[in-house]
């Protein structure tokens, strides 16, 4: 720490930083997998305990793990929706809903399908695009993330893909466990020199 971050409905936030800087640890704190030693989480201005955070998140960590069963998702009555997202994620000719023998990139796409079906207000992706081919990586950043934003989701993505930074509303940098605003150059966006994205203390 310190880690101070405010996220709003319909906002895309990129978290960047070098290996070992604390990005994944931060993600696990944010989603309630780790319990913080101090500080507070606020959702809609109400304090939330760390263990309660998971109900607000759908996540894909790296490496992605696929369970044999989709929990809390009524697959049988959402067949059309499942088929739609299998097509969107280019898995329709490779995957049956019971199949989990997939490549790393396909496993992440199937995990993303689960995020869609869970329909949580916050999506968190840990290096989701790292295992995707260039075309699908482009599709993820230029099509899928803007659609999530349009649907009012908060999207927090840990990424190294600097040529897609313009997709984000905020780019935050993790450096030795400290989260700070990123003031570097972002293609397609003018950031006044010396001005970084603002964050409000003691809020998430």
């Amino acid at each position: 720490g310190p880690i101070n971050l405010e996220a709003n409905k319909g906002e895309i936030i990129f978290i960047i930083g070098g290996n070992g800087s604390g990005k994944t640890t931060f993600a696990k704190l944010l989603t309630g997998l780790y319990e913080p030693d101090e500080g507070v989480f606020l959702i809609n201005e109400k304090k939330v305990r760390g263990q309660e955070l998971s109900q607000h998140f759908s996540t894909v960590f790296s490496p992605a793990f696929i369970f044999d069963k989709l929990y809390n998702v009524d697959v049988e009555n959402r067949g059309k929706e499942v088929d739609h997202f299998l097509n969107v994620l280019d898995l329709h000719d490779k995957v049956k809903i019971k199949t989990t023998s997939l490549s790393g990139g396909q496993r992440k796409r199937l995990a993303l399908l689960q995020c869609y079906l869970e329909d949580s207000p916050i999506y968190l992706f840990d290096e989701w695009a790292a295992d995707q081919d260039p075309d699908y990586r482009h599709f993820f950043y230029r099509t899928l993330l803007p659609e999530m934003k349009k649907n009012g989701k908060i999207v927090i993505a840990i990424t190294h893909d600097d040529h897609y930074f313009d997709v984000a509303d905020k780019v935050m940098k993790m450096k030795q466990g400290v989260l700070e605003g990123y003031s570097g150059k972002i293609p397609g966006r003018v950031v006044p020199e010396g001005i970084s994205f603002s964050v409000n203390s003691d809020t998430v």
Side-chain angles (χ1 to χ4, degrees):
I3 295 175
N4 299 309
L5 176 67
E6 181 176 357
N8 299 295
K9 183 177 180 180
E11 189 170 54
I12 299 172
I13 301 173
F14 284 177
I15 307 294
I16 66 172
N19 293 334
S21 61
K23 302 185 301 295
T24 298
T25 300
F26 163 66
K28 291 179 179 180
L29 278 167
L30 192 59
T31 53
L33 293 174
Y34 291 166
E35 190 72 26
D37 293 326
E38 58 184 32
V40 296
F41 296 101
L42 301 176
I43 295 182
N44 296 328
E45 301 182 357
K46 295 180 180 179
K47 281 189 180 182
V48 176
R49 292 181 298 174
Q51 59 265 39
E52 298 173 328
L53 288 169
S54 62
Q55 63 187 291
H56 300 278
F57 281 86
S58 292
T59 64
V60 182
F61 283 104
S62 185
F65 183 84
I66 305 297
F67 288 96
D68 292 331
K69 178 180 178 181
L70 294 176
Y71 294 91
N72 298 321
V73 175
D74 183 7
V75 175
E76 291 185 5
N77 292 319
R78 299 176 70 180
K80 289 184 179 179
E81 196 173 354
V82 170
D83 288 341
H84 167 71
F85 285 120
L86 285 175
N87 278 285
V88 167
L89 298 171
D90 194 25
L91 293 171
H92 59 283
D93 60 347
K94 302 178 182 71
V95 174
K96 298 295 182 184
I97 200 63
K98 294 181 180 178
T99 300
T100 57
S101 180
L102 305 168
S103 70
Q106 290 168 343
R107 290 172 75 87
K108 284 186 175 179
R109 286 189 233 168
L110 191 56
L112 181 55
L113 167 64
Q114 184 168 345
C115 288
Y116 278 125
L117 296 176
E118 289 173 344
D119 199 27
S120 300
I122 311 172
Y123 293 159
L124 187 143
F125 305 121
D126 183 3
E127 297 286 0
W128 188 92
D131 299 321
Q132 307 300 324
D133 61 48
D135 288 342
Y136 208 85
R137 181 179 296 145
H138 182 85
F139 182 66
F140 172 71
Y141 285 110
R142 297 298 181 193
T143 301
L144 297 183
L145 291 190
E147 284 182 357
M148 294 172 192
K149 174 183 172 74
K150 184 178 178 181
N151 290 331
K153 303 298 182 182
I154 294 172
V155 180
I156 301 172
I158 296 172
T159 180
H160 290 291
D161 291 325
D162 55 355
H163 46 294
Y164 292 110
F165 281 3
D166 62 292
V167 173
D169 299 291
K170 294 177 183 175
V171 180
M172 308 297 296
K173 185 174 183 178
M174 183 69 74
K175 186 176 181 181
Q176 296 182 336
V178 177
L179 190 66
E180 56 190 31
Y182 175 72
S183 57
K185 288 186 177 181
I186 299 177
R189 183 185 299 169
V190 177
V191 178
E193 186 176 351
I195 302 296
S196 61
F197 294 103
S198 64
V199 293
N200 292 337
S201 62
D202 301 322
T203 63
V204 173

